[in-house]
Amino acid sequence: MIDTSEVLISHEQIEEMLARLSSQINNDYKGGQLIVCGILTGAFIFTSDLVRRLEMPVIVDFMQVSSYVGEVSSGNLKIKKDMSYDIKGKDVLIVEDIIDTGRTLELLKKQLLKRGPASLKICTAFDKPSRRVNDLKPDYNGITIPDEFIVGYGLDLDGEYRNFDDIRIVRKG
Ligand code: IMP
Ligand code: MG
């Protein structure tokens, strides 16, 4: 049985987080242009909420990636869907749903830096720093959460629960 009745973060808290993050980003990129790259599928709601609060000219793009740890490597990145825009010389903001071990974003950052963006920053809605296996840090962090598996606001368990408009803790019993 999966129990998702415990609310960890309310929709009101998510709204506050969106206001805070967007004002930081609007301030930092004032007068510039931004390519926002949402990471599918988890960040689709966060990306759409965030970009509607941005005031500079914005191009919205998406990538779908996953990381896996091989037998001899510390991690590989699989790109299922790449960006549609060339980021060379552009300011790029990666928008992620949650950072857990940090493996995915560390590998993705390395790949995207090879394309020569003017700048590359990371914005995450949620962060679980206690699970980190590297020193990856988001440039913009929404809400720090404890080591719990969460769903809602785009985040899933086996594809389900993305449609909740708040964040729930998954309990299995
Ligand atoms: P990592 O930082 O490379 O370990 O992977 C982060 C990815 O794992 C996120 O983009 C999510 O897709 C997934 N993930 C990690 N923690 C959670 C969670 O609590 N709920 C839902 N997805 C999660
Ligand atoms: Mg993800």
Side-chain angles (χ1 to χ4, degrees):
M1 264 296 290
I2 288 170
D3 178 4
T4 58
S5 59
E6 189 180 336
V7 176
L8 180 68
I9 299 163
S10 68
H11 189 69
E12 289 68 35
Q13 288 173 286
I14 292 175
E15 292 282 335
E16 283 169 24
M17 162 190 86
L18 287 164
R20 175 168 42 82
L21 290 177
S22 59
S23 97
Q24 287 171 13
I25 295 167
N26 282 329
N27 201 44
D28 291 355
Y29 293 90
K30 197 176 262 168
Q33 287 187 9
L34 196 52
I35 298 187
V36 170
C37 180
I39 306 303
L40 296 172
T41 302
F44 79 109
I45 295 177
F46 179 46
T47 305
S48 69
D49 276 352
L50 187 68
V51 295
R52 281 179 288 175
R53 289 166 172 82
L54 297 183
E55 291 159 359
M56 74 296 286
V58 163
I59 284 177
V60 181
D61 206 343
F62 288 97
M63 274 185 98
Q64 189 160 26
V65 297
S66 54
S67 65
Y68 57 96
V69 181
E71 273 172 30
V72 289
S73 67
S74 60
N76 288 292
L77 187 75
K78 187 171 162 207
I79 299 181
K80 272 206 226 162
K81 184 220 171 291
D82 206 338
M83 294 180 75
S84 305
Y85 290 89
D86 184 4
I87 61 170
K88 195 174 171 61
K90 310 283 188 188
D91 291 316
V92 179
L93 182 66
I94 300 172
V95 176
E96 177 63 299
D97 54 357
I98 185 166
I99 309 178
D100 188 42
T101 64
R103 281 198 186 95
T104 311
L105 280 186
E106 182 181 55
L107 294 165
L108 178 62
K109 211 174 160 184
K110 216 182 267 176
Q111 289 276 326
L112 291 181
L113 283 173
K114 289 184 196 159
R115 302 180 188 181
S119 70
L120 183 65
K121 287 191 182 182
I122 293 170
C123 175
T124 190
F126 308 106
D127 190 12
K128 273 196 253 187
S130 60
R131 296 258 309 157
R132 206 73 97 249
V133 298
N134 52 33
D135 59 4
L136 186 111
K137 285 190 188 65
D139 300 279
Y140 304 97
N141 177 24
I143 298 173
T144 300
I145 60 161
D147 183 10
E148 299 276 8
F149 197 87
I150 58 168
V151 292
Y153 196 65
L155 288 89
D156 74 308
L157 173 66
D158 297 333
E160 265 192 273
Y161 314 116
R162 294 193 197 277
N163 54 313
F164 293 167
D165 76 347
D166 51 16
I167 289 287
R168 312 286 183 93
I169 294 179
V170 173
R171 302 252 183 248
K172 294 183 184 180

